Amino acid sequence: MLRIEDLHVEVGGRKILRGVWLRVYEGEVHVIMGPNASGKTTLALTVLGHPAYKITRGRIIFLGRNISNLSVTERVKLGLGVAFQHPPAIRGVKLRDVLMVCAGGKPLGDLDYSKYDYFGDYLRDLGMDPKLYLDRDVNFGFSGGERKRVELVQLLVMKPRLMIFDEPDSGVDVDSLKHIGRKISELTKEVKGATIVITHYRHILPYVKPTVIHVLYNGRIVKSGNPDEVIEEIEEFGYEIYAKKLWM
């Protein structure tokens, strides 16, 4: 579904990614781990097509098509979805309207909860009462866990073929972590898609059940392997020593 070939990326003239290679197949869940400033978020935003991230070498193939020069909108229409590390609060925009647009419709004035219970089902499945959230401004006054769940609901209604989650476990409690991890795994199977989860820690891994873990260090993937084995090695040595051992 996704093929990244020798990807080099600059941001503001600074080299961040220095030759990333990656292949993701249908039904797989890939986890990318690494220390701060290793290039994890840069990779996600480059795949999405953020204009600040300049590809200087390499290419990105999604569903057999080179998307390296496509806009964010074009990539999303092809079936790419990204959940951000820090979902913004948007004053004056109702959650129900955002979800309607994500589902391919148009924003509504008054929401008939019985008619549009489709969204309510997703919220309830994540432990959120739709009557308490649908008419609220997006993420305004939401806790970290609520923001991450709402971000997940937006992806759920979009049903993208490839989902990328940038640190979905950041700032969330244990209950939210279970809900989010479980739904990521379920949606991957439901849409016959694939998922990439970016994280620092192992906490969400039992719930998303990764196929493979990649270690990103200094702009390169330095290790790809069995999740249990890679995690054990990372926790024993730490990222820096682990990366240096791989290069010895």
Side-chain angles (χ1 to χ4, degrees):
M1 295 191 68
L2 178 71
R3 189 165 79 248
I4 296 175
E5 300 176 340
D6 195 24
L7 189 64
H8 293 247
V9 175
E10 292 183 355
V11 182
R14 179 169 168 252
K15 294 180 180 180
I16 305 296
L17 299 183
R18 305 168 184 272
V20 172
W21 298 78
L22 183 67
R23 287 184 181 233
V24 179
Y25 295 88
E26 182 180 306
E28 293 183 338
V29 176
H30 288 237
V31 169
I32 297 178
M33 303 185 71
N36 289 326
S38 59
K40 301 187 302 299
T41 296
T42 293
L43 179 59
L45 293 178
T46 302
V47 173
L48 178 63
H50 193 296
Y53 295 77
K54 180 182 178 182
I55 297 175
T56 58
R57 197 165 91 192
R59 61 180 187 164
I60 303 169
I61 310 296
F62 177 51
L63 297 176
R65 180 175 178 181
N66 188 346
I67 64 170
S68 305
N69 296 315
L70 297 185
S71 69
V72 172
T73 301
E74 290 171 309
R75 298 183 196 205
V76 171
K77 286 181 177 179
L78 287 175
L80 178 65
V82 176
F84 297 100
Q85 181 180 354
H86 301 293
I90 309 174
R91 190 60 140 163
V93 179
K94 303 300 181 186
L95 175 58
R96 58 181 167 84
D97 290 332
V98 168
L99 292 178
M100 186 60 69
V101 172
C102 286
K106 296 181 179 179
L108 302 176
D110 297 320
L111 183 66
D112 181 340
Y113 288 101
S114 61
K115 185 176 180 180
Y116 296 101
D117 204 40
Y118 173 75
F119 299 140
D121 288 343
Y122 282 112
L123 288 163
R124 277 189 290 271
D125 201 27
L126 287 168
M128 305 174 80
D129 184 346
K131 293 184 178 180
L132 298 179
Y133 291 93
L134 285 173
D135 261 336
R136 291 176 63 180
D137 291 351
V138 177
N139 292 331
F140 200 84
F142 288 15
S143 69
E146 288 172 330
R147 288 190 180 210
K148 292 299 179 74
R149 293 191 201 190
V150 164
E151 186 88 344
L152 177 56
V153 171
Q154 293 173 51
L155 277 189
L156 289 172
V157 300
M158 288 172 63
K159 296 187 181 298
R161 294 294 308 282
L162 175 66
M163 299 177 291
I164 301 177
F165 293 88
D166 190 2
E167 298 195 25
D169 48 357
S170 173
V172 302
D173 56 31
V174 174
D175 289 335
S176 294
L177 192 65
K178 291 180 180 178
H179 282 302
I180 291 169
R182 176 173 53 83
K183 290 305 295 183
I184 288 173
S185 180
E186 289 177 1
L187 183 59
T188 303
K189 296 176 182 177
E190 179 185 340
V191 301
K192 295 182 179 179
T195 297
I196 296 173
V197 177
I198 295 171
T199 183
H200 284 290
Y201 310 107
R202 69 152 66 215
H203 310 311
I204 199 170
L205 303 189
Y207 310 112
V208 300
K209 301 175 181 178
T211 309
V212 60
I213 286 183
H214 310 279
V215 179
L216 188 64
Y217 185 83
N218 196 29
R220 297 184 180 91
I221 291 178
V222 297
K223 174 73 174 182
S224 298
N226 177 279
D228 292 333
E229 293 176 3
V230 173
I231 283 292
E232 184 177 340
E233 292 168 350
I234 289 172
E235 293 186 342
E236 179 179 357
F237 300 107
Y239 286 115
E240 186 169 355
I241 294 176
Y242 181 54
K244 289 179 179 178
K245 284 175 66 69
L246 292 170
W247 289 337
M248 291 175 61

